[in-house]
Amino acid sequence: MKRYFYFGEATVETTGESCMFPLDMFLGMTPGGAAITQMHFSSRNGAATDDIVSVTHTGHTTKAFMTEIVKYMKENQKNPFLVIADRTNINAVTSMVASVAVATEA
């Protein structure tokens, strides 16, 4: 079973701003600022650079966000659809997320 990370803005119905990456393309996370964590994925078009999803998590440190992501992945091992940012599915991870920005090579 293939698993996916889903990222969607609060207004995805009107903006269409969302993306989904296979979990097997996930490379890791790095701090992007005091309240931003960058999630790195193998480029969808095979480029040498990563596709990056920058997650702003207001009121939470990068370490707290990373810890919650790992816990969420562990608790949902059989779930093929891991929602990271989506205002219609509130859970411990999504409640931390203020916004997402996607930079892809594709």
Side-chain angles (χ1 to χ4, degrees):
M1 168 183 62
K2 196 148 180 133
R3 298 175 68 202
Y4 297 88
F5 279 124
Y6 171 79
F7 304 88
E9 288 287 342
T11 56
V12 71
E13 306 82 26
T14 56
T15 65
E17 295 177 22
S18 66
C19 66
M20 192 163 63
F21 288 95
L23 189 59
D24 60 1
M25 293 178 69
F26 180 58
L27 299 172
M29 296 178 271
T30 58
I36 298 173
T37 298
Q38 294 180 327
M39 297 182 73
H40 299 264
F41 297 88
S42 297
S43 178
R44 291 180 290 157
N45 70 357
T49 56
D50 302 348
D51 287 343
I52 299 171
V53 178
S54 295
V55 180
T56 302
H57 38 79
T58 308
H60 302 281
T61 65
T62 296
K63 182 179 178 184
F65 178 76
M66 289 179 179
T67 300
E68 212 50 53
I69 289 288
V70 171
K71 188 167 102 178
Y72 181 60
M73 289 170 58
K74 185 177 178 183
E75 291 172 352
N76 293 281
Q77 291 184 27
K78 294 185 179 185
N79 187 348
F81 195 67
L82 299 173
V83 177
I84 304 302
D86 179 8
R87 285 293 165 211
T88 61
N89 268 328
I90 304 299
N91 59 43
V93 172
T94 59
S95 67
M96 298 174 101
V97 176
S99 66
V100 296
V102 181
T104 67
E105 293 293 325

XYZ file of all heavy atoms in Angstrom:
805
model
N 0.842 -1.179 0.000
C 0.000 0.000 0.000
C 0.885 1.239 0.000
O 1.762 1.397 0.835
C -0.899 -0.008 1.235
C -1.592 1.300 1.461
S -2.603 1.399 2.958
C -1.434 1.161 4.259
N 0.685 2.090 -0.950
C 1.419 3.346 -1.033
C 0.781 4.355 -0.091
O -0.433 4.425 0.025
C 1.395 3.868 -2.464
C 2.431 4.924 -2.708
C 2.904 4.840 -4.133
C 3.938 5.901 -4.352
N 5.106 5.424 -5.030
N 1.628 5.140 0.597
C 1.138 6.149 1.540
C 1.512 7.534 1.032
O 2.511 7.711 0.347
C 1.747 5.903 2.913
C 1.327 4.537 3.470
C 2.004 4.216 4.768
N 1.502 5.112 5.807
C 2.171 5.388 6.924
N 3.342 4.858 7.151
N 1.659 6.191 7.818
N 0.698 8.553 1.413
C 0.876 9.909 0.919
C 0.761 10.939 2.030
O -0.019 10.778 2.963
C -0.202 10.235 -0.132
C -0.118 9.372 -1.355
C -0.783 8.156 -1.417
C 0.633 9.770 -2.451
C -0.708 7.352 -2.530
C 0.713 8.976 -3.581
C 0.044 7.763 -3.620
O 0.130 6.976 -4.727
N 1.535 12.028 1.891
C 1.366 13.227 2.698
C 0.476 14.167 1.901
O 0.686 14.368 0.698
C 2.701 13.961 2.911
C 3.564 13.404 3.996
C 4.862 13.022 3.726
C 3.107 13.303 5.300
C 5.690 12.542 4.725
C 3.920 12.819 6.306
C 5.217 12.441 6.017
N -0.509 14.779 2.554
C -1.373 15.765 1.909
C -1.199 17.109 2.600
O -1.201 17.196 3.821
C -2.847 15.341 1.992
C -3.798 16.417 1.525
C -3.998 16.630 0.171
C -4.453 17.237 2.425
C -4.847 17.632 -0.271
C -5.302 18.240 2.000
C -5.496 18.434 0.646
O -6.314 19.432 0.212
N -1.060 18.162 1.797
C -0.950 19.531 2.285
C -1.996 20.368 1.560
O -2.029 20.377 0.331
C 0.437 20.126 1.968
C 1.583 19.320 2.511
C 2.131 18.287 1.765
C 2.103 19.594 3.752
C 3.192 17.544 2.252
C 3.165 18.858 4.262
C 3.709 17.827 3.503
N -2.845 21.061 2.301
C -3.856 21.904 1.678
C -4.082 23.170 2.477
O -4.106 23.143 3.704
N -4.209 24.272 1.771
C -4.520 25.544 2.424
C -5.944 25.508 2.974
O -6.767 24.707 2.524
C -4.390 26.707 1.434
C -2.964 27.030 1.055
C -2.201 27.711 2.172
O -2.828 28.233 3.114
O -0.972 27.721 2.109
N -6.228 26.388 3.905
C -7.561 26.443 4.519
C -8.650 26.733 3.479
O -9.779 26.313 3.636
C -7.585 27.495 5.620
N -8.289 27.433 2.417
C -9.269 27.825 1.394
C -9.048 27.052 0.088
O -9.248 27.597 -0.992
C -9.169 29.334 1.128
O -7.809 29.639 0.763
C -9.567 30.148 2.334
N -8.645 25.799 0.187
C -8.325 25.014 -1.011
C -9.511 24.906 -1.970
O -9.323 24.816 -3.177
C -7.772 23.615 -0.639
C -8.856 22.734 -0.066
C -7.102 22.968 -1.821
N -10.719 24.977 -1.453
C -11.901 24.902 -2.315
C -11.942 26.045 -3.316
O -12.436 25.892 -4.432
C -13.204 24.936 -1.493
C -13.311 23.895 -0.404
C -12.589 24.298 0.871
O -12.406 25.480 1.160
O -12.177 23.373 1.591
N -11.448 27.216 -2.920
C -11.492 28.376 -3.817
C -10.145 28.692 -4.456
O -10.096 29.242 -5.539
C -11.977 29.634 -3.051
O -11.122 29.852 -1.928
C -13.407 29.455 -2.580
N -9.036 28.321 -3.799
C -7.708 28.649 -4.343
C -7.083 27.492 -5.111
O -6.228 27.711 -5.961
C -6.728 29.040 -3.218
O -6.520 27.899 -2.376
C -7.235 30.218 -2.421
N -7.480 26.275 -4.792
C -6.879 25.112 -5.428
C -5.460 24.843 -4.981
O -4.739 24.078 -5.596
N -5.017 25.476 -3.871
C -3.648 25.337 -3.392
C -3.513 24.132 -2.469
O -3.825 24.201 -1.292
C -3.206 26.618 -2.681
C -3.133 27.807 -3.610
C -2.780 29.084 -2.900
O -2.208 29.041 -1.810
O -3.091 30.138 -3.458
N -3.056 23.029 -3.055
C -2.808 21.824 -2.285
C -1.819 20.957 -3.048
O -1.579 21.168 -4.237
C -4.107 21.057 -2.025
O -4.625 20.568 -3.234
N -1.238 19.986 -2.352
C -0.343 19.047 -3.009
C -0.309 17.757 -2.203
O -0.695 17.726 -1.037
C 1.055 19.622 -3.172
S 1.925 19.900 -1.631
N 0.159 16.707 -2.862
C 0.270 15.421 -2.214
C 1.560 14.775 -2.707
O 1.859 14.803 -3.896
C -0.942 14.560 -2.567
C -1.060 13.329 -1.742
S -2.706 12.572 -1.788
C -2.882 12.109 -3.475
N 2.339 14.240 -1.758
C 3.594 13.572 -2.091
C 3.580 12.162 -1.526
O 3.158 11.950 -0.389
C 4.784 14.307 -1.464
C 5.115 15.613 -2.104
C 4.612 16.803 -1.605
C 5.955 15.666 -3.204
C 4.925 18.012 -2.182
C 6.276 16.877 -3.793
C 5.767 18.052 -3.285
N 4.096 11.184 -2.282
C 4.226 9.836 -1.732
C 5.208 9.837 -0.560
O 6.230 10.523 -0.596
C 4.784 9.014 -2.887
C 4.555 9.825 -4.104
C 4.528 11.249 -3.671
N 4.888 9.088 0.450
C 5.740 9.007 1.633
C 7.129 8.469 1.293
O 8.118 8.875 1.890
C 5.069 8.135 2.692
C 5.690 8.099 4.070
C 5.755 9.487 4.685
C 4.914 7.171 4.971
N 7.219 7.598 0.288
C 8.524 7.050 -0.066
C 9.437 8.069 -0.753
O 10.615 7.803 -0.971
C 8.394 5.770 -0.900
C 7.663 5.966 -2.215
O 7.247 7.094 -2.543
O 7.489 4.954 -2.933
N 8.916 9.259 -1.077
C 9.740 10.337 -1.624
C 10.203 11.316 -0.536
O 10.961 12.236 -0.803
C 8.977 11.087 -2.716
C 8.734 10.239 -3.954
S 7.776 11.092 -5.230
C 8.937 12.330 -5.770
N 9.735 11.114 0.689
C 10.093 11.990 1.807
C 11.559 11.789 2.176
O 12.015 10.675 2.400
C 9.191 11.676 3.004
C 9.447 12.509 4.223
C 9.363 13.887 4.184
C 9.764 11.904 5.422
C 9.582 14.656 5.318
C 9.988 12.646 6.564
C 9.895 14.030 6.508
N 12.321 12.897 2.220
C 13.750 12.844 2.521
C 14.079 13.283 3.940
O 15.086 12.873 4.499
C 14.525 13.722 1.534
C 14.409 13.332 0.063
C 15.066 14.384 -0.815
C 15.000 11.962 -0.172
N 13.253 14.155 4.512
C 13.504 14.641 5.861
C 13.021 16.067 6.037
O 12.382 16.643 5.157
N 13.344 16.636 7.208
C 12.901 17.986 7.558
C 14.088 18.814 8.036
O 15.011 18.283 8.656
C 11.856 17.929 8.678
C 10.583 17.229 8.302
S 9.385 17.115 9.671
C 9.889 15.577 10.439
N 14.026 20.116 7.742
C 15.036 21.055 8.218
C 14.340 22.327 8.687
O 13.260 22.665 8.193
C 16.057 21.432 7.118
O 15.348 21.987 6.006
C 16.863 20.240 6.662
N 14.946 23.061 9.638
C 14.368 24.343 10.044
C 14.455 25.337 8.892
O 15.461 25.407 8.193
C 15.252 24.793 11.211
C 16.020 23.589 11.627
C 16.130 22.707 10.427
N 13.386 26.091 8.707
C 13.380 27.139 7.695
C 13.265 28.510 8.329
O 13.233 29.521 7.649
N 13.222 28.555 9.649
C 13.062 29.780 10.417
C 12.548 29.414 11.794
O 12.358 28.238 12.098
N 12.303 30.411 12.612
C 11.855 30.153 13.984
C 10.530 29.388 14.038
O 10.333 28.564 14.908
C 11.729 31.468 14.740
N 9.641 29.641 13.101
C 8.334 28.984 13.101
C 8.032 28.341 11.756
O 6.882 28.217 11.356
C 7.253 30.002 13.454
N 9.085 27.919 11.042
C 8.914 27.278 9.731
C 9.755 26.012 9.680
O 10.926 26.025 10.052
C 9.333 28.219 8.583
C 8.452 29.461 8.555
C 9.268 27.490 7.238
C 8.906 30.518 7.574
N 9.151 24.940 9.220
C 9.881 23.698 8.981
C 9.746 23.361 7.510
O 8.654 23.424 6.945
C 9.319 22.542 9.834
O 9.478 22.872 11.213
C 10.033 21.241 9.552
N 10.869 23.019 6.892
C 10.858 22.623 5.493
C 10.868 21.104 5.410
O 11.739 20.453 5.976
C 12.061 23.204 4.759
C 12.010 24.705 4.670
C 13.210 25.277 3.951
O 14.309 24.757 4.020
N 12.980 26.370 3.249
N 9.876 20.568 4.708
C 9.790 19.134 4.486
C 10.293 18.867 3.071
O 9.780 19.441 2.110
C 8.356 18.650 4.687
C 7.864 18.864 6.113
S 6.195 18.253 6.410
C 6.483 16.484 6.418
N 11.316 18.041 2.954
C 11.981 17.790 1.676
C 11.510 16.471 1.062
O 11.385 15.468 1.760
C 13.499 17.731 1.876
C 14.068 19.009 2.400
N 14.607 19.966 1.585
C 14.169 19.489 3.662
C 15.026 20.984 2.316
N 14.760 20.712 3.581
N 11.295 16.512 -0.256
C 10.875 15.341 -1.012
C 11.729 15.228 -2.268
O 12.159 16.245 -2.820
C 9.396 15.469 -1.429
C 8.461 15.527 -0.261
C 8.144 16.735 0.348
C 7.903 14.367 0.250
C 7.288 16.786 1.435
C 7.042 14.411 1.340
C 6.739 15.617 1.930
N 11.957 14.002 -2.731
C 12.646 13.815 -4.000
C 11.847 14.540 -5.071
O 10.614 14.501 -5.080
C 12.719 12.330 -4.360
O 13.457 11.611 -3.419
N 12.556 15.182 -5.977
C 11.891 15.937 -7.031
C 11.018 15.033 -7.884
O 11.437 13.953 -8.301
C 12.942 16.622 -7.908
O 12.317 17.312 -8.951
N 9.805 15.483 -8.157
C 8.875 14.679 -8.948
C 9.311 14.538 -10.396
O 8.906 13.618 -11.083
C 7.468 15.279 -8.885
C 6.856 15.139 -7.495
C 5.477 15.712 -7.428
N 5.567 17.162 -7.540
C 4.570 17.938 -7.953
N 3.436 17.417 -8.299
N 4.724 19.245 -8.020
N 10.158 15.467 -10.891
C 10.591 15.365 -12.286
C 12.005 14.801 -12.416
O 12.599 14.838 -13.480
C 10.485 16.719 -12.989
C 11.501 17.726 -12.497
O 12.269 17.455 -11.577
N 11.519 18.892 -13.106
N 12.558 14.288 -11.299
C 13.866 13.661 -11.343
C 15.047 14.613 -11.275
O 16.189 14.198 -11.445
N 14.802 15.895 -11.006
C 15.888 16.875 -10.898
C 16.730 16.575 -9.661
O 16.296 15.884 -8.743
C 15.318 18.293 -10.817
N 17.945 17.109 -9.648
C 18.857 16.880 -8.530
C 18.438 17.643 -7.272
O 18.878 17.327 -6.176
C 20.273 17.277 -8.925
N 17.594 18.655 -7.413
C 17.141 19.427 -6.263
C 15.856 18.835 -5.692
O 15.161 18.080 -6.361
C 16.892 20.899 -6.656
O 15.951 20.911 -7.731
C 18.176 21.572 -7.090
N 15.573 19.186 -4.434
C 14.387 18.677 -3.741
C 13.156 19.514 -4.058
O 13.254 20.704 -4.333
C 14.567 18.757 -2.217
C 15.771 18.000 -1.712
O 16.354 17.219 -2.479
O 16.124 18.191 -0.537
N 11.993 18.875 -3.964
C 10.737 19.606 -3.858
C 10.581 19.895 -2.369
O 10.862 19.037 -1.535
C 9.557 18.764 -4.335
C 9.538 18.594 -5.857
O 10.213 19.366 -6.551
O 8.840 17.689 -6.333
N 10.167 21.116 -2.029
C 10.110 21.523 -0.622
C 8.733 22.061 -0.281
O 8.180 22.883 -1.007
C 11.174 22.601 -0.318
C 12.575 22.051 -0.587
C 11.054 23.104 1.118
C 13.669 23.100 -0.516
N 8.206 21.597 0.843
C 6.984 22.155 1.405
C 7.393 22.872 2.687
O 7.902 22.261 3.619
C 5.934 21.067 1.713
C 4.700 21.689 2.348
C 5.570 20.291 0.461
N 7.217 24.198 2.706
C 7.532 25.000 3.889
C 6.268 25.137 4.724
O 5.267 25.687 4.256
C 8.045 26.384 3.493
O 9.268 26.264 2.805
N 6.327 24.616 5.935
C 5.169 24.613 6.826
C 5.398 25.648 7.929
O 6.368 25.563 8.671
C 4.953 23.219 7.453
C 3.751 23.230 8.375
C 4.815 22.155 6.381
N 4.516 26.635 8.015
C 4.576 27.617 9.086
C 3.722 27.103 10.236
O 2.546 26.783 10.043
C 4.055 28.992 8.608
O 4.841 29.401 7.496
C 4.134 30.037 9.712
N 4.342 27.022 11.411
C 3.648 26.489 12.592
C 3.754 27.522 13.709
O 4.616 27.465 14.564
C 4.214 25.136 13.019
C 5.705 25.030 12.884
N 6.594 25.553 13.792
C 6.445 24.481 11.912
C 7.823 25.313 13.394
N 7.762 24.655 12.250
N 2.854 28.470 13.695
C 2.825 29.568 14.647
C 2.652 29.054 16.072
O 1.778 28.238 16.360
C 1.671 30.532 14.314
O 1.781 30.891 12.933
C 1.729 31.781 15.165
N 3.515 29.524 16.972
C 3.413 29.161 18.378
C 4.062 27.840 18.740
O 3.941 27.387 19.872
N 4.728 27.196 17.783
C 5.374 25.912 18.035
C 6.774 25.932 17.433
O 6.982 26.444 16.339
C 4.575 24.759 17.418
C 3.170 24.682 17.915
N 2.846 24.131 19.136
C 2.010 25.106 17.371
C 1.539 24.219 19.309
N 1.012 24.806 18.253
N 7.729 25.344 18.128
C 9.098 25.286 17.626
C 9.198 24.236 16.514
O 8.325 23.378 16.375
C 10.088 24.899 18.745
O 9.793 23.558 19.165
C 10.013 25.863 19.923
N 10.281 24.317 15.753
C 10.528 23.315 14.718
C 10.628 21.927 15.335
O 10.071 20.967 14.813
C 11.820 23.665 13.944
O 11.610 24.907 13.262
C 12.182 22.594 12.937
N 11.311 21.821 16.467
C 11.454 20.520 17.122
C 10.096 19.957 17.533
O 9.833 18.768 17.340
C 12.365 20.626 18.345
C 12.585 19.288 19.019
C 13.510 19.400 20.211
C 13.660 18.043 20.882
N 14.468 18.121 22.091
N 9.222 20.792 18.076
C 7.891 20.331 18.475
C 7.103 19.857 17.260
O 6.425 18.826 17.305
C 7.140 21.449 19.197
N 7.209 20.591 16.153
C 6.512 20.193 14.927
C 7.067 18.870 14.395
O 6.315 17.962 14.062
C 6.620 21.285 13.862
C 5.958 20.912 12.569
C 4.577 20.944 12.452
C 6.712 20.509 11.474
C 3.954 20.584 11.264
C 6.103 20.145 10.288
C 4.723 20.183 10.179
N 8.390 18.750 14.328
C 9.011 17.512 13.843
C 8.613 16.320 14.715
O 8.310 15.242 14.206
C 10.531 17.651 13.809
C 11.057 18.562 12.743
S 12.864 18.647 12.870
C 13.255 19.739 11.522
N 8.600 16.523 16.019
C 8.214 15.462 16.954
C 6.779 15.019 16.694
O 6.471 13.823 16.682
C 8.366 15.942 18.412
O 9.733 16.299 18.628
C 7.943 14.894 19.414
N 5.906 15.971 16.467
C 4.495 15.661 16.217
C 4.323 14.927 14.885
O 3.502 14.015 14.780
C 3.678 16.960 16.234
C 2.284 16.821 16.727
C 2.098 16.094 18.046
O 2.727 16.436 19.055
O 1.275 15.150 18.054
N 5.100 15.287 13.868
C 5.042 14.599 12.569
C 5.435 13.131 12.734
O 4.760 12.223 12.241
C 5.953 15.283 11.527
C 5.386 16.628 11.087
C 6.181 14.383 10.309
C 4.163 16.541 10.195
N 6.552 12.886 13.427
C 7.030 11.514 13.628
C 5.997 10.701 14.417
O 5.685 9.561 14.068
C 8.407 11.501 14.316
C 8.811 10.102 14.718
C 9.451 12.126 13.402
N 5.443 11.299 15.458
C 4.420 10.627 16.269
C 3.189 10.311 15.414
O 2.639 9.207 15.472
C 4.059 11.512 17.455
C 3.156 10.846 18.474
C 3.108 11.660 19.744
C 1.836 12.443 19.802
N 1.679 13.231 21.027
N 2.782 11.253 14.588
C 1.620 11.092 13.709
C 1.861 9.957 12.704
O 0.989 9.129 12.469
C 1.355 12.413 12.992
C 0.173 12.423 12.061
C -1.106 12.169 12.515
C 0.342 12.724 10.715
C -2.196 12.203 11.661
C -0.731 12.765 9.854
C -1.998 12.505 10.329
O -3.069 12.536 9.474
N 3.062 9.897 12.127
C 3.393 8.839 11.176
C 3.376 7.470 11.854
O 2.875 6.499 11.295
C 4.763 9.102 10.548
C 4.765 10.260 9.579
S 6.425 10.764 9.058
C 7.061 9.272 8.346
N 3.899 7.413 13.071
C 3.951 6.147 13.816
C 2.546 5.667 14.191
O 2.237 4.486 14.088
C 4.807 6.326 15.065
C 5.020 5.053 15.829
C 5.941 5.266 17.011
C 6.110 3.986 17.798
N 6.927 4.172 18.981
N 1.693 6.590 14.639
C 0.338 6.236 15.058
C -0.558 5.847 13.888
O -1.567 5.188 14.084
C -0.310 7.410 15.804
C 0.309 7.689 17.153
C -0.212 8.972 17.787
O -0.945 9.739 17.115
O 0.133 9.223 18.947
N -0.219 6.274 12.690
C -1.072 6.053 11.517
C -0.372 5.212 10.456
O -0.448 5.511 9.266
C -1.493 7.408 10.930
C -2.402 8.156 11.854
O -3.586 7.864 11.930
N -1.859 9.098 12.600
N 0.282 4.151 10.881
C 1.063 3.331 9.958
C 0.232 2.654 8.877
O 0.744 2.348 7.811
C 1.866 2.287 10.732
C 2.975 2.901 11.544
C 3.825 1.863 12.244
O 3.927 0.740 11.785
N 4.428 2.248 13.349
N -1.037 2.424 9.133
C -1.877 1.747 8.145
C -2.733 2.725 7.345
O -3.458 2.321 6.446
C -2.754 0.708 8.818
C -1.928 -0.413 9.405
C -2.787 -1.496 9.973
C -1.874 -2.583 10.525
N -2.600 -3.730 11.000
N -2.642 4.000 7.680
C -3.422 5.010 6.970
C -2.659 5.447 5.715
O -1.553 5.948 5.816
C -3.675 6.209 7.885
C -4.622 7.204 7.276
O -4.943 7.150 6.097
N -5.064 8.141 8.092
N -3.238 5.283 4.526
C -2.524 5.670 3.314
C -2.527 7.175 3.043
O -1.776 7.656 2.202
C -3.285 4.935 2.210
C -4.665 4.793 2.757
C -4.507 4.636 4.246
N -3.333 7.932 3.771
C -3.532 9.357 3.497
C -3.224 10.155 4.759
O -4.065 10.275 5.645
C -4.985 9.561 3.048
C -5.261 10.881 2.406
C -4.716 11.215 1.184
C -6.099 11.787 3.025
C -4.986 12.433 0.589
C -6.385 13.006 2.443
C -5.822 13.329 1.215
N -1.997 10.678 4.868
C -1.577 11.422 6.057
C -1.765 12.920 5.830
O -1.018 13.545 5.088
C -0.110 11.106 6.379
C 0.176 9.631 6.681
C 1.669 9.396 6.823
C -0.557 9.200 7.934
N -2.767 13.480 6.455
C -3.101 14.890 6.296
C -2.194 15.719 7.208
O -2.230 15.581 8.422
C -4.584 15.153 6.631
C -4.902 16.622 6.533
C -5.470 14.328 5.723
N -1.375 16.585 6.596
C -0.460 17.439 7.353
C -1.036 18.846 7.501
O -0.908 19.467 8.539
C 0.928 17.495 6.681
C 1.504 16.085 6.515
C 1.869 18.389 7.467
C 1.646 15.290 7.803
N -1.648 19.353 6.472
C -2.242 20.689 6.542
C -3.598 20.659 5.856
O -3.686 20.388 4.668
C -1.342 21.716 5.874
N -4.646 20.920 6.622
C -5.999 20.919 6.089
C -6.931 21.359 7.208
O -7.034 20.698 8.225
C -6.367 19.511 5.617
C -7.778 19.413 5.070
O -8.441 20.446 4.916
O -8.210 18.282 4.797
N -7.589 22.453 7.046
C -8.443 22.996 8.106
C -9.743 22.223 8.287
O -10.479 22.461 9.225
C -8.739 24.478 7.842
C -7.563 25.349 8.151
C -7.305 25.317 9.634
N -5.999 25.834 9.931
C -5.251 25.443 10.934
N -5.669 24.512 11.746
N -4.084 25.961 11.159
N -10.034 21.271 7.415
C -11.256 20.486 7.596
C -10.994 19.211 8.386
O -11.920 18.561 8.824
C -11.886 20.117 6.232
O -10.957 19.328 5.493
C -12.257 21.357 5.460
N -9.730 18.824 8.553
C -9.340 17.639 9.320
C -8.430 18.076 10.456
O -7.211 18.069 10.314
C -8.562 16.654 8.438
C -9.421 15.637 7.782
O -10.426 15.234 8.342
N -9.044 15.223 6.590
N -8.981 18.458 11.568
C -8.165 18.960 12.678
C -7.660 17.789 13.517
O -8.434 16.974 14.007
C -8.957 19.949 13.555
C -9.503 21.103 12.701
C -8.092 20.470 14.691
C -8.456 21.929 12.000
N -6.329 17.708 13.649
C -5.692 16.748 14.535
C -4.478 17.447 15.146
O -4.278 18.637 14.937
C -5.313 15.456 13.786
C -4.364 15.691 12.638
O -3.404 16.452 12.749
N -4.612 15.038 11.513
N -3.659 16.738 15.885
C -2.525 17.363 16.571
C -1.576 18.052 15.600
O -1.072 19.133 15.882
C -1.772 16.327 17.397
N -1.341 17.455 14.435
C -0.432 18.055 13.458
C -1.087 19.242 12.770
O -0.530 20.333 12.716
C 0.032 17.009 12.414
C 0.807 17.677 11.292
C 0.885 15.944 13.075
N -2.290 19.041 12.222
C -2.924 20.114 11.457
C -3.251 21.326 12.325
O -3.270 22.447 11.832
C -4.201 19.635 10.745
O -5.132 19.149 11.708
C -3.887 18.555 9.728
N -3.476 21.115 13.612
C -3.777 22.252 14.489
C -2.554 23.143 14.693
O -2.692 24.309 15.039
C -4.310 21.768 15.834
O -3.308 21.089 16.562
N -1.356 22.628 14.446
C -0.122 23.408 14.582
C 0.161 24.270 13.354
O 0.874 25.243 13.418
C 1.085 22.478 14.788
C 1.039 21.634 16.034
S 2.417 20.480 16.062
C 3.521 21.317 17.180
N -0.398 23.900 12.204
C -0.043 24.503 10.931
C -0.846 25.783 10.672
O -2.073 25.777 10.690
C -0.267 23.495 9.780
C 0.013 24.142 8.437
C 0.584 22.259 9.978
N -0.102 26.868 10.413
C -0.733 28.131 10.055
C -0.862 28.272 8.540
O -1.861 28.759 8.035
C 0.065 29.298 10.615
N 0.168 27.816 7.798
C 0.135 27.890 6.337
C 1.204 26.982 5.751
O 2.112 26.532 6.450
C 0.355 29.330 5.854
O 1.669 29.757 6.167
N 1.077 26.721 4.456
C 2.076 25.944 3.729
C 2.420 26.653 2.430
O 1.593 27.359 1.862
C 1.601 24.500 3.421
C 1.391 23.701 4.677
C 0.351 24.493 2.566
N 3.654 26.465 1.977
C 4.102 26.982 0.676
C 4.879 25.864 0.020
O 5.732 25.237 0.626
C 4.971 28.208 0.863
N 4.588 25.616 -1.242
C 5.197 24.509 -1.970
C 6.116 25.042 -3.064
O 5.730 25.912 -3.844
C 4.106 23.608 -2.608
C 4.737 22.434 -3.346
C 3.130 23.137 -1.562
N 7.349 24.520 -3.107
C 8.298 24.846 -4.163
C 8.708 23.542 -4.817
O 9.340 22.705 -4.198
C 9.519 25.559 -3.585
N 8.291 23.345 -6.078
C 8.591 22.087 -6.763
C 9.378 22.343 -8.037
O 9.332 23.438 -8.607
C 7.309 21.299 -7.126
O 6.607 22.032 -8.114
C 6.449 21.061 -5.918
N 10.059 21.326 -8.473
C 10.798 21.366 -9.733
C 9.918 20.944 -10.894
O 10.247 21.172 -12.032
C 12.025 20.435 -9.653
C 13.067 20.904 -8.680
C 13.731 22.194 -9.111
O 13.919 22.413 -10.314
O 14.053 23.001 -8.238
N 8.803 20.282 -10.573
C 7.944 19.733 -11.611
C 7.153 20.804 -12.312
O 6.883 21.842 -11.821
C 6.998 18.708 -11.009
